[in-house]
Amino acid sequence: AKSDGRATYAFYSQELTTYARQRIELTTALRQALEHGELRVHYQPIHNLKSGQMVSVEALVRWQHPERGLVPPGEFISVAEENGLIGAIDLWVLEQACRQMRSWLEAGHTLEFVAVNISTRLFSRGRLDLQVAEILARTGLDARHLELEITESAVMDDPDSARRQLQRLRDLGVRLAIDDFGTGHSSLQRLKSMPVDKLKIDRGFVAGLPADGKDVAIARSVIVLAHSLGLSVLAEGIEQPEQVDFLRRNHCQLGQGYLFGRPQPAEKLFLGPAPFYAK
Ligand code: C2E
Ligand code: CA
Ligand code: CA
Ligand code: CA
């Protein structure tokens, strides 16, 4: 038993070393990716569920790795959060997205806003509003065409400072959404006092619609809650027409998911087939 214990210990410490080394390598590679322009922004359509029309888009980062190909954010965002590179990544994505949105609008496309993800780290440090204002000025995008997505946990972890940060951003005229709603720990009291415009229902609760009774109860409650607070509501991860039917019946205005379109490069967004899920 004793030698077993030692073997296990050796095994784990080697695992940890490998793990730590991989993270260090990833940090170096990611820093280079930023410097060498290997990051890309893809855009996923957001549809009005009533009209079926694409009305907005969400910007999602990818890493075009020279050997590994297109790497999804799930494989590098958490490391970037640990090593602090996430702030630079978010600001880079924000600037690309604002510039792209401006050129879509100039080309005559009618999009309401581009949504950009803001990490907890960037949100909770310093004056994000000043950085956003600078990027808007540099790209010439009107603030009302930008929506910032802040996760529920970022907002609820330190509600007083979150409220001030949200208010400063809102004073710029940008829209604010709480992302992954339902996965954090919102108290209704706190939610009520947050100056935001929208709740995004996490895709974990959309997956089981309309068959799963618990998902039905949760989705309905979030929609009613949003509306009673005067907020709009968007359902993420829509893959089935039945989910759209349910959401429309329950007055959820906006939706996003593979049914409507996957995240794709900017130049492909307006080339696809006309929206097939229309009224
Ligand atoms: P998120 O903000 O919740 O973004 C939605 C994710 O769900 C995206 O994954 C999108 O591709 C995926 N998705 C959309 N529709 C469907 C669907 O119908 N079915 C399924 N199974 N998935 C769907 P993606 O692009 O891999 O991004 C994952 C997460 O990485 C994002 O989740 C967000 O938390 C983070 N992320 C992405 N880009 C950025 C960024 O620029 N900054 C920061 N801080 N985080 C980002
Ligand atoms: Ca998001
Ligand atoms: Ca989300
Ligand atoms: Ca999510």
Side-chain angles (χ1 to χ4, degrees), residues 94 114-118 128 132 146-150 169 174-178:
L94 179 63
V114 61
V116 177
N117 293 284
I118 300 294
L128 178 61
V132 172
L146 175 64
E147 181 159 289
L148 300 178
E149 298 192 358
I150 325 285
L169 290 164
V174 304
R175 303 157 183 253
L176 299 169
I178 299 187

Side-chain angles (χ1 to χ4, degrees), residues 58 60 117 149 151 178-181 200-203 234 236-237 256:
E58 177 177 358
L60 293 155
N117 293 284
E149 298 192 358
T151 61
I178 299 187
D179 203 0
D180 300 345
F181 189 78
K200 293 190 82 171
I201 307 176
D202 190 72
R203 109 173 106 86
L234 179 152
E236 298 187 314
Q256 186 180 350

Side-chain angles (χ1 to χ4, degrees), residues 6 36 38 53 149 174 190 193 197 220 241 244 248 265:
R6 242 193 324 265
H36 299 169
E38 292 170 10
Q53 295 298 316
E149 298 192 358
V174 304
R190 283 174 186 175
S193 72
D197 306 285
R220 279 205 181 118
V244 178
R248 283 169 66 167

Side-chain angles (χ1 to χ4, degrees), residues 127 129 132-133 136 143-144 148 163-176 195-197:
R127 298 289 303 269
D129 58 313
V132 172
L136 287 171
R144 69 197 154 97
L148 300 178
R163 194 177 302 111
R164 288 192 296 271
Q165 184 79 293
L166 292 168
Q167 190 58 54
R168 287 194 297 261
L169 290 164
R170 212 188 208 187
D171 291 343
L172 291 178
V174 304
R175 303 157 183 253
L176 299 169
V196 297
D197 306 285

Side-chain angles (χ1 to χ4, degrees), residues 46-48 51 53-57 101 105 109-115 141-147 175 198 232 254 270:
I46 292 175
H47 283 243
N48 178 315
S51 69
Q53 295 298 316
M54 172 168 80
V55 289
S56 297
V57 293
M101 183 66 180
L105 292 173
H109 294 299
T110 50
L111 290 176
E112 287 172 31
F113 60 84
V114 61
L141 183 71
D142 195 302
R144 69 197 154 97
H145 294 301
L146 175 64
E147 181 159 289
R175 303 157 183 253
K198 179 178 293 152
S232 76
L254 296 169
F270 291 96

Side-chain angles (χ1 to χ4, degrees), residues 179-198:
D179 203 0
D180 300 345
F181 189 78
T183 63
H185 314 272
S186 284
S187 92
L188 296 182
Q189 182 62 35
R190 283 174 186 175
L191 183 63
K192 185 182 84 170
S193 72
M194 291 297 165
V196 297
D197 306 285
K198 179 178 293 152

Side-chain angles (χ1 to χ4, degrees), residues 44 58 60-62 72-73 77 86 90 93 117-119 149 179-180 203 236-239 257-258 263:
Q44 183 175 35
E58 177 177 358
L60 293 155
V61 72
R62 270 95 184 91
I77 289 284
I86 190 67
D90 282 349
V93 171
N117 293 284
I118 300 294
S119 62
E149 298 192 358
D179 203 0
D180 300 345
R203 109 173 106 86
E236 298 187 314
I238 298 175
E239 296 181 356
Y258 294 167

